[in-house]
Each structure stands twice: as C-alpha cells, then as structure tokens.
C-alpha cells in the first residue's frame, strides 16, 4: 500500500540530496573533527561549512550557530542559559501553546523557584500584545514565544515582540522549529536573542538541531564536557547529521518559494474541499497568519483517533493534536488554550504537507475522508444526539 504522508510537522523525509552528502561520513570520512591530524581536520572543515549553511538560511553569522542534538535540546539550552545568566531574576514568561520542549521546562521551573506567566491566546490561537506588555517586570529573566505553532501553524508576531523586548533589555528566545524552512526567518530583521531549530523538520535527519545565539547574548552551556562548539556544548559532534543539516538548509533556501506557493495551494485545496464536503467541520487557528503547509481541522462529534485509524487503513498519515499528545485521549493543550469546544477539540486532525506531496495525494485524501467521517458519525451517539437536539419538537 502506498503511504500518503501528511505528517510533516511530526517529522520529514530525509531529502535524497541530504542522504547523499551524509553517507561518506559513515565510512570514508569518519575522523573526529577535534583531532590534530588532517584526517580529522578535513571533517572539521566540513563541519564549518555546514555551520555556514545553517547560518545563511536565517541571516546569522556562523559563529552564532551552536549545533545540538534536537529542537528540544536547543530550547532547553536557551532557557537554562538565560536563567543561569540572570540568577537574581525569578520571573519567566511563555505562552500556553508552546511545544512540550518549552512548556514542560517552564512548568518544571515553576515548581522550582520561578514565577511563570503562561500567556493566554484567543479563539484563533493569537497572542494579545498587551497581555505580554503587562506581564513584563524588572524581575523577568526570559520570554519564550514560539515563531509558529506546531499544531495549528499559527504564526506569532515575533518581530514586534522581539523589538519590544529588545528595548526593555529582556532576553527573548523563540522556538522556530516549525517556522524555519517554511517561511522566511531572518535574525537580521528580527532581534531575537536565541532561536531554536531542528533538522528533522526540514528534510535533514533526526538527532541534529541548532541554537542561534546572537552575539553579545550571555551564554552558559547546558552540556558541560569537552571544548567542542567553542566550549559551548561538550560532546563529539554528530557529524553526518550536521553535514546533512547544512545541505537541508541550502535546499530549504531554494525551496521556500515552493513551500509558500505550491505547498500552500495543496493545503488550501485540501482544506476547502473538506469544508465543502463535510458538515460540522472547522479550521482551528488564524487562517491569515499560518504556516503554508499546516491545517488543523475539527470534525465535531467524532474522535480524532478513530479518524486517524481509519485513514491509516488507506495509508494516510496525519496527526491528532500533536505527535507528542496523540497517545492520550485528552484534547491537546493548544486546542484547550484556544477554547475550542470539547466536541470539536476531540475530533481534530492536523495535516502537515511538504514539497514531496502531490495533487493526486490530496485528491486521494479528499476522496477517502468524507466517507470516513460519515461512517464514524453514524456510530457516534453524540452526533445522533446533536441532530435530535436541533430538530424542532
Ligand atoms: N518545538 C516545536 C515547535 C516542535 O514542533 C518540536 C517537535 O515537534 C520541537 C520543538 C522538538 O523538536 P525535536 O523533535 O527536534 O526535539
């Protein structure tokens, strides 16, 4: 059975060009970049070239890029570094819709001596800038706000936030794991202090990420060990993955137009056809400010997990809630923060596309989905009750 993969916010296919550049580092070029001999030196040179490519994609300079093992490590490093750099400040700010890589660390810090402000979002998943402004204090050590939400694709006004925090001298970290490669991200335009990226969200392999650290931002390492990454992260580098990450960033710069036009057109077609064919379906999240590849659709009175299982029978891969919460039947924290009604939050599905999706695949999903929802609703007591309730007596 052919797999129709529309779960690219969970992870992406490694691009063939990326795999190709990775392979030599498993057999021919296996030297340690920290070694004194030229065999290792060659690898160090390639490591530097990969750093330059990652930097170029986001307008950074190479020495502002720290390689990590994943987006989660990048986020954790940024937040822990900020609080270590400002030990007297005990207030930290984030939103209610962050990925667990940020949210769970903030919750942990909330139980360990920090006052945490979790900023609310509105029904469209948008932040109110006044809420942010009012929450700032002289005691604020760091603000973490994601560039784009992984579940809904909603994009936050990061430039405006960064400028406001910059003027107040408050450290700002953004989780740009879902944004980089899908929309332009330029740290020359947007004065963030730290920005997290992850390789496997943009067609590189798993096990590699990066943290952008603006020059002049105080920094304290998370992994203490050897002198790798100029003493900012101990541990021998995951060279093959880093080389692949560099290539993926080079490709992403070339493909960003395709993401914004072709991928967006496919997403819009999928979304519009579903809304046209399926009653009681709604889009979650601000449709004007969204990643071009993501749609989060609620089908009232059915369980997202049941939809996923039935789509799986046809080889269609999507997500309910986020990849990290889909193991539980609780509606996702993001949809709850947006006040999506219970009957809709339970039946939410995220489709996230990539440049490898085709129009035939979108047509296939459209063809299969409507009968799936119809069938599930026939079995749903809540759907039957909702219809009965609407009938005039
Ligand atoms: N931040 C966001 C917004 C994400 O979507 C993810 C992964 O889904 C992460 C962080 C974590 O990235 P990684 O899987 O590389 O640790």
């Amino acid at each position: 059975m052919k797999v129709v993969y529309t779960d690219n916010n969970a992870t992406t296919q490694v691009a063939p060009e990326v795999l190709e550049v990775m392979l030599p580092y498993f057999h021919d070029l296996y030297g340690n970049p920290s070694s004194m001999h030229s065999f290792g030196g060659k690898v160090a040179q390639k490591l530097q070239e990969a750093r330059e490519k990652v930097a170029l994609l986001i307008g950074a300079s190479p020495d502002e890029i720290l390689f990590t093992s994943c987006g989660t490590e990048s986020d954790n490093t940024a937040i822990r570094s900020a609080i270590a750099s400002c030990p007297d400040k005990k207030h930290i700010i984030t939103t209610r819709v962050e990925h667990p890589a940020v949210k769970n660390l903030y919750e942990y810090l909330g139980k360990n001596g920090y006052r945490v402000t979790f900023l609310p979002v509105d029904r469209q998943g948008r932040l109110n800038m006044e809420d942010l402004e009012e929450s700032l204090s002289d005691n604020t050590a760091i603000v973490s706000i994601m560039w784009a939400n992984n579940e809904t694709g909603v994009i936050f006004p990061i430039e405006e936030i960064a400028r406001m925090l910059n003027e107040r001298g408050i450290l700002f970290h953004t989780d740009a794991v879902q944004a980089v490669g899908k929309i332009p991200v330029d740290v020359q335009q947007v004065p963030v202090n730290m920005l997290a990226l992850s390789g496997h969200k943009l067609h590189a392999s798993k096990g590699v990420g990066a943290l952008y650290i603006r020059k002049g931002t105080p920094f304290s390492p998370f992994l203490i060990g050897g002198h790798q990454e100029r003493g900012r992260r101990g541990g021998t580098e995951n060279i093959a993955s880093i080389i692949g990450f560099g290539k993926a960033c080079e490709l992403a710069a070339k493909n960003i137009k395709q993401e914004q036009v072709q991928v967006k057109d496919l997403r819009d077609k999928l979304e519009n056809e579903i809304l046209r064919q399926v009653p009681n379906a709604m889009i979650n999240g601000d449709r004007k400010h969204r990643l071009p590849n993501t749609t989060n659709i609620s089908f009232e009175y059915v369980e997202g997990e049941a939809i996923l299982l039935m789509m799986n029978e046809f080889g269609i891969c999507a997500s309910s809630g986020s990849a990290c919460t889909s193991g539980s039947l609780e509606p996702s924290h993001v949809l709850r923060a947006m006040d999506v009604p219970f009957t809709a939050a339970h039946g939410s599905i995220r489709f996230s596309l990539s440049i490898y999706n085709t129009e035939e695949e979108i047509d296939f999903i459209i063809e299969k989905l409507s009968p799936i929802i119809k069938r599930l609703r026939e079995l749903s007591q809540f759907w039957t009750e909702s219809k009965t309730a609407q009938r005039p007596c």
Side-chain angles (χ1 to χ4, degrees):
M1 184 170 50
K2 184 180 177 309
V3 167
V4 176
Y5 189 76
T6 57
D7 201 10
N8 287 278
N9 288 8
T11 198
T12 59
Q13 171 192 339
V14 172
E17 299 93 325
V18 168
L19 180 62
E20 195 186 326
V21 299
M22 288 174 70
L23 290 176
Y25 296 88
F26 293 104
H27 43 83
D28 295 338
L29 292 167
Y30 53 83
N32 188 324
S34 299
S35 296
M36 291 302 291
H37 43 72
S38 58
F39 188 59
K42 250 189 235 165
V43 178
Q45 168 66 28
K46 293 292 176 188
L47 172 62
Q48 182 57 16
E49 285 173 23
R51 201 184 303 282
E52 286 164 11
K53 289 175 182 169
V54 175
L56 191 65
L57 180 63
I58 61 165
S61 74
D63 56 3
E64 293 174 314
I65 298 296
L66 173 73
F67 284 117
T68 65
S69 66
C70 58
T72 302
E73 186 193 322
S74 301
D75 284 325
N76 272 249
T77 303
I79 298 161
R80 287 184 180 276
S81 167
I83 61 174
S85 310
C86 317
D88 299 334
K89 298 186 174 179
K90 295 291 177 196
H91 175 225
I92 53 181
I93 301 173
T94 189
T95 75
R96 288 197 191 153
V97 295
E98 299 297 310
H99 185 274
V102 171
K103 174 181 156 284
N104 290 353
L105 179 55
Y106 268 76
E107 283 172 0
Y108 169 85
L109 293 170
K111 291 181 191 133
N112 287 276
Y114 284 83
R115 181 169 72 81
V116 186
T117 302
F118 286 100
L119 297 168
V121 293
D122 68 10
R123 185 69 180 77
Q124 307 299 315
R126 293 172 301 207
L127 195 68
N128 179 345
M129 290 294 287
E130 280 169 20
D131 288 343
L132 170 60
E133 207 160 354
E134 280 165 19
S135 69
L136 300 173
S137 78
D138 292 341
N139 198 27
T140 307
I142 181 172
V143 176
S144 295
I145 296 176
M146 65 198 330
W147 199 301
N149 186 269
N150 45 303
E151 294 191 33
T152 58
V154 170
I155 297 170
F156 288 91
I158 296 301
E159 183 169 349
E160 199 184 335
I161 297 169
R163 291 194 188 283
M164 182 211 283
L165 295 174
N166 205 250
E167 272 169 26
R168 307 272 296 250
I170 297 173
L171 289 178
F172 179 37
H173 148 245
T174 184
D175 175 343
V177 163
Q178 293 294 348
V180 174
K182 294 174 186 147
I183 53 172
V185 168
D186 183 354
V187 295
Q188 288 185 22
Q189 289 290 318
V190 182
V192 297
N193 293 98
M194 289 180 278
L195 178 149
L197 302 84
S198 174
H200 73 107
K201 309 290 185 179
L202 49 81
H203 304 290
S205 63
K206 294 161 189 64
V208 64
L211 178 65
Y212 159 78
I213 309 161
R214 182 176 297 276
K215 233 170 252 153
T217 299
F219 184 76
S220 166
F222 182 36
L223 284 190
I224 295 174
H227 58 269
Q228 292 90 351
E229 298 294 290
R230 295 197 296 131
R232 295 183 298 178
R233 180 185 185 267
T236 302
E237 300 87 346
N238 179 358
I239 290 297
S241 294
I242 290 174
I243 302 295
F245 192 16
K247 184 69 187 177
C249 288
E250 197 177 85
L251 293 173
K254 280 196 202 129
N255 292 338
I256 203 146
K257 266 256 141 353
Q258 203 181 344
E259 284 277 352
Q260 291 186 293
V261 178
Q262 183 184 309
V263 175
K264 180 177 178 299
D265 283 353
L266 290 180
R267 189 274 311 269
D268 289 349
K269 178 175 182 182
L270 176 67
E271 195 168 84
N272 291 334
E273 273 307 305
I274 290 173
L275 291 181
R276 198 177 66 75
Q277 294 185 16
V278 183
N280 294 67
M282 63 182 89
I283 307 298
N284 296 311
D286 179 5
R287 292 180 79 173
K288 284 205 200 88
H289 300 103
R290 254 187 326 165
L291 294 174
N293 78 320
T294 308
T295 178
N296 186 307
I297 310 181
S298 275
F299 301 95
E300 278 190 299
Y301 307 110
V302 282
E303 284 289 349
E305 280 67 21
I307 305 171
L308 283 188
L309 286 176
M310 289 183 74
M311 289 200 300
N312 189 49
E313 298 287 304
F314 296 107
I316 302 168
C317 307
S319 234
S320 75
S322 81
C324 307
T325 53
S326 62
S328 94
L329 279 178
E330 270 288 290
S332 88
H333 69 282
V334 175
L335 299 183
R336 271 184 286 147
M338 289 163 63
D339 248 342
V340 175
F342 180 83
T343 47
H346 269 276
S348 109
I349 296 290
R350 177 190 70 187
F351 295 97
S352 46
L353 313 187
S354 83
I355 53 165
Y356 295 114
N357 286 118
T358 63
E359 185 145 19
E360 291 70 49
E361 289 179 329
I362 298 305
D363 290 339
F364 182 74
I365 300 173
I366 293 166
E367 179 198 321
K368 298 298 174 206
L369 192 59
S370 181
I372 288 176
I373 304 295
K374 188 162 181 287
R375 171 93 190 97
L376 287 172
R377 281 185 176 156
E378 281 162 6
L379 301 170
S380 161
Q381 174 199 350
F382 296 116
W383 174 253
T384 316
E385 282 170 6
S386 81
K387 294 288 119 188
T388 320
Q390 281 166 19
R391 217 174 286 147
C393 38

